[in-house]
């Protein structure tokens, strides 16, 4: 009897998650504006007037914060691999705009108004997947042609079998190994075209590929 109740409880939890997560991810806010971003993000960081880009937001997330690395994980949606943030403010900076890095400020977010599952570049190497935030002003197509050694410190790599873990932040490879992996990596340029919004996203690793390596792992 206890086993039956346990199974029913687990099944119910999965049903709830299958409903809540898609709703959360599909809550694309079509009417976002700078004022919305300013009001919603101000309690969690500070806005600065940043040269060449105007207003930029710096989160109060600690000195070790890295976008698309700290406090979140990847899940597969209809749009491709989507970053699900643990931060209450994550709906905005990980799905709109771009992240840049400044030696004086650290990571800062430049507002943008086009929704995406994530705005990152992707790479694969033998046994690894990697990603890094797309820089402000860099289009998806341009990012495919960029040299891998641009800001190597901003790349995050994990073994392919660990890629879809909910605690993926515990599996990033260390800096010394990362340099070797980056040198032997290639660009992932699979894209998803969203005709309803006339937008193109970088899909990331293919579903079949990820399912195969995670099953083997």
């Amino acid at each position: 009897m206890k086993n039956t109740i346990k199974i029913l409880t687990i099944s119910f939890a999965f049903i709830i998650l299958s409903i809540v997560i898609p709703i959360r991810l599909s809550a694309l806010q079509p009417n976002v504006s700078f004022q919305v971003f300013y009001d919603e993000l101000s309690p969690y960081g500070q806005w600065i007037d940043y040269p060449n880009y105007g207003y930029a937001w710096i989160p109060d997330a600690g000195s070790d914060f890295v976008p698309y690395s700290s406090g979140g994980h990847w899940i597969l949606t209809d749009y491709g691999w989507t970053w699900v943030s643990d931060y209450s403010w994550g709906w905005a900076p990980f799905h709109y705009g771009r992240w840049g890095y400044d030696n004086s400020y650290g990571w800062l977010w430049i507002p943008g108004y086009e929704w995406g599952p994530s705005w990152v570049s992707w790479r694969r190497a033998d046994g690894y997947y990697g990603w890094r935030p797309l820089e402000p002003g860099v289009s998806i197509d341009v990012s495919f042609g960029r040299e891998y050694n641009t800001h190597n410190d901003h790349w995050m790599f994990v073994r392919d079998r660990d890629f879809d873990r909910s605690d993926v932040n515990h599996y990033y490879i260390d800096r010394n190994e990362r340099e070797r992996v980056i040198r032997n990596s290639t660009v992932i340029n699979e894209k998803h075209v969203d005709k309803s919004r006339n937008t193109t996203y970088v899909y990331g690793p293919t579903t079949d590929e990820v399912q195969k390596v995670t099953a083997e792992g």
Side-chain angles (χ1 to χ4, degrees), residues 84-98:
V84 178
S85 175
D86 297 334
Y87 297 107
S88 58
W89 44 262
W91 67 271
F94 300 117
H95 300 290
Y96 295 92
R98 301 291 175 81

Side-chain angles (χ1 to χ4, degrees), residues 20-33:
V20 171
I21 289 178
I23 290 175
R24 181 179 175 185
L25 292 173
S26 63
L28 319 183
Q29 301 193 22
N31 298 318
V32 293
S33 65

